[in-house]
Structures are given as structure tokens and as C-alpha cells.
Amino acid sequence: MTNFQLFRTIQEVRDWRLNQIVNGHSVGFVPTMGALHEGHLTLVRESLNENDKTVVSIFVNPSQFAPTEDLESYPRTLEADLEQLAGLDCSESIVVFVPTVREMYPSGIPLDVSLQKGAFVTVLGVSEQLEGKFRPQFFRGVATVVCKLFNIVYPNNAYFGSKDIQQTIVVRRMVKDLLIPTNIRVILTCREKSGLAMSSRNQYLSSETKMKASQIYRSLLAAKEVYDTENCTAEDLESAVLETLKEYTNGVKASWNLEYVCVNEYETLDELNSSEKVDKTKPIIVSLAIHVPRATTGTARLIDNIVLGAKSL
Ligand code: AMP
């Protein structure tokens, strides 16, 4: 039993939105791919606090997945998602938008970029490094779908998690350059008690791997400790991460594959020169991506980061 409206079509959202303008209601927006957890709910709560109405979209966006990635197996748990939203205080102020792929991509959307035709949004300069290096079509897919959703919802404020820190930078840049009148709010990563960043992909892990995966955040905290106590280089920060993870990433029994650990300037995402002293007047991001074994077969790709030296996000 839910106490909010659920829309499947763009037209329904547009009609509803027009009413909000007429009534002078502010609208917050939380775009998600579903499989909601406490991290998503934190964004929704923030939006409910700061706006008269909140739109939550649930859409597994094909264009941000490479043909080799987990689009098919990505967890889809709509009933449970709706129940979680219904359980929030002020849930009557929520509207849920669950479009189909055809609704969002009326001309179709092949996953193979070379077959794609039509309009896409590319945010140059902040999409190619870090995650973009390993997932080359990811940020084009993200920026495109977020732009489409903003064109439908027309939000005053939109809420994103700092867990996907590069995404927040890409979206902020898109909004600035395309003159989109939406304020982007970045909310701190919500973590399990163990420190593991909450993620829909954690569902792939056994409880034992989940516990071990708390070492990921510990490795970032080790980098923070080095940053806080010493005059350090980017290499020192990376070494602190590598050292903390080595039980799982090195040696014959190690089964985790660390894809990257990297230190970048927060504003520009420029990679820091590994041997130069870190300039503490500018915020930096220490981030990593790591493949850990799934409970079934294969691996789950987890990402995490810590922002150092920033007064606000
Ligand atoms: P997703 O459904 O994974 O696309 O995430 C939707 C939004 O929730 C994005 O802005 C994410 O950054 C945010 N998010 C995901 N995990 C967390 C978390 N653990 N804490 C805070 N925000 C999160």
C-alpha cells in the first residue's frame, strides 16, 4: 500500500509538474536506478526537507552500461523500493517516476556506442579520467539520461551522492554549461556500520565478502591519516591504500582485483603528479575501483572515495 503517485509516462510527470508551478511548489529530484538502500533514502529525506515535493525516478539506464557490463543482472526490486519510499516520513510529498526504456529512448538505444544515433550529452574534460578511463561510455550515458530527466522533471534541486563523486562533477558541469536552472546538491556517502559504502551492487556479495569489503573504506581512511599527519605526495596516499588492501589484492590467495587507485584535484579532476607534495589549499579526491568476488560466479565492481581538504561538497 503506497500513499504517493506513481507515474510511468513523461506526459504524466509534465502535467503534474505544471500543477506544482501553478501552486508555487518547489520540486526536488532524486534520480536512481532502483534497488534502493539507505544511501538513496538519505538523498530522498534531504530532498523532502528542502522542497515541497520530491520526485524519485527509478530507471536502469541502458546507455551507461557497456555491452560487457551487468545491465541484464542489475538488481530490479520495484515493489521493495516502493515500500521503502512509502515508509518515509512525509512520503505523501513523493512522486515516483518509473519510465520504460522506450519512453526514455523513443528511437531505441543499442549498447554498442558505434551503433548509436541521435543526440547524446558529453561533458568533456571531466568524463575521461578515473571511472571514465575504465568505463568509456559511462558518463555520456549518465549525462544524457540526467539531462533527459531534468527536461522532464524540471527540478529546483537535484540530489546526488558523493559515493559517485565524478558523477556529481560531471552533472554540475553539464548544468553550468547547458544553463540548466537546477541546483545540484551533493550528499555524503552513507555507509554500513562496517564502513562499507552502501551500494545496490552489494547485493551481489556474500555476507563474508561484505565484511571483508569494509577494508576498502579502511584503506581510504589510511590515506586520510597520512594526509592529516604529514606533508605527503599523491604516491604516499596511494601507498597507504595499497598497503591496507594488500591482504586481498596481492599474493597467491588474493582474489580481489584493484582496478585503480588515484588521487585527483576535486574541482578539475586533474590527476596529481605522484611525486609532488600535495597542495593542501586545494581539495583532493582519493578514489578506487575494485572487483570483489560475487556470492555466485564472477565479480562485483565496487567504487569508493574520500574527499580531503574540502570545506563543503
Ligand atoms: P544509483 O541508483 O546507484 O544510480 O544511485 C542513485 C543516487 O544515489 C546517486 O546519486 C548515487 O550517488 C546515490 N548513492 C548511491 N549510493 C549511495 C550511498 N551509499 N550514499 C549516498 N548516496 C548514494
Side-chain angles (χ1 to χ4, degrees):
M1 212 18 215
T2 55
N3 47 354
F4 46 72
Q5 285 170 288
L6 189 153
F7 297 139
R8 300 249 179 206
T9 67
I10 294 168
Q11 196 54 53
E12 285 171 295
V13 182
R14 290 218 162 109
D15 291 345
W16 172 87
R17 182 64 179 104
L18 194 58
N19 248 317
Q20 306 316 306
I21 294 176
V22 170
N23 292 322
H25 289 158
S26 61
V27 171
F29 178 41
V30 184
T32 81
M33 298 210 299
L36 300 186
H37 50 67
E38 195 52 35
H40 297 112
L41 298 183
T42 307
L43 305 189
V44 178
R45 280 193 204 96
E46 201 70 23
S47 175
L48 286 167
N49 272 338
E50 296 180 356
N51 303 276
D52 298 316
K53 302 282 175 180
T54 289
V55 178
V56 179
S57 65
I58 297 179
F59 179 63
V60 182
N61 173 38
S63 70
Q64 68 194 60
F65 288 81
T68 51
E69 291 179 350
D70 59 343
L71 174 63
E72 286 307 317
S73 64
Y74 194 85
R76 289 163 172 87
T77 57
L78 184 61
E79 285 306 311
D81 293 348
L82 298 178
E83 264 176 43
Q84 291 198 70
L85 293 171
L88 295 176
D89 286 345
C90 305
S91 63
E92 64 284 355
S93 302
I94 296 176
V95 160
V96 184
F97 179 41
V98 190
T100 59
V101 173
R102 179 147 290 283
E103 188 77 1
M104 293 300 288
Y105 293 93
S107 317
I109 181 70
L111 300 192
D112 181 346
V113 175
S114 68
L115 301 176
Q116 291 177 356
K117 293 196 172 111
F120 291 86
V121 180
T122 306
V123 186
L124 299 172
V126 287
S127 298
E128 303 83 0
Q129 57 280 73
L130 289 172
E131 283 295 283
K133 208 185 265 181
F134 296 90
R135 305 183 74 190
Q137 69 197 73
F138 180 68
F139 288 112
R140 191 178 79 138
V142 168
T144 300
V145 81
V146 171
C147 187
K148 282 170 184 260
L149 289 165
F150 282 4
N151 282 336
I152 298 164
V153 176
Y154 201 69
N156 300 92
N157 298 295
Y159 297 79
F160 293 85
S162 71
K163 171 171 170 286
D164 301 283
I165 192 81
Q166 189 173 8
Q167 173 168 281
T168 68
I169 291 165
V170 168
V171 169
R172 274 206 168 125
R173 189 63 200 253
M174 175 187 81
V175 161
K176 182 176 175 218
D177 288 358
L178 297 184
L179 313 177
I180 297 173
T182 294
N183 177 39
I184 304 302
R185 298 268 292 106
V186 177
I187 308 301
L188 281 179
T189 303
C190 197
R191 298 180 179 280
E192 306 279 357
K193 273 204 194 86
S194 67
L196 175 66
M198 290 187 183
S199 163
S200 305
R201 288 190 169 98
N202 292 352
Q203 294 189 18
Y204 297 145
L205 312 182
S206 67
S207 43
E208 190 193 342
T209 307
K210 257 196 200 167
M211 272 321 290
K212 287 183 181 164
S214 58
Q215 195 74 358
I216 296 170
Y217 185 50
R218 249 174 255 139
S219 77
L220 295 170
L221 290 177
K224 180 179 174 350
E225 207 172 306
V226 170
Y227 177 90
D228 286 343
T229 54
E230 298 167 26
N231 237 341
C232 58
T233 63
E235 200 173 6
D236 296 331
L237 301 177
E238 286 168 11
S239 301
V241 172
L242 295 174
E243 180 62 27
T244 315
L245 289 174
K246 80 172 181 221
E247 180 186 352
Y248 300 110
T249 54
N250 280 334
V252 275
K253 281 198 186 152
S255 57
W256 296 7
N257 175 18
L258 182 65
E259 199 166 71
Y260 68 84
V261 49
C262 206
V263 185
N264 299 66
E265 264 189 34
Y266 177 57
E267 308 279 326
T268 59
L269 284 187
D270 287 346
E271 202 168 316
L272 264 63
N273 184 331
S274 58
S275 56
E276 258 174 44
K277 288 276 173 240
V278 171
D279 173 0
K280 293 200 179 175
T281 63
K282 289 183 184 162
I284 58 169
I285 310 167
V286 183
S287 55
L288 62 82
I290 191 161
H291 294 259
V292 307
R294 285 195 194 201
T296 52
T297 53
T299 60
R301 185 176 185 277
L302 304 182
I303 58 171
D304 204 349
N305 70 79
I306 194 162
V307 179
L308 302 173
K311 291 197 179 72
S312 64
L313 295 180

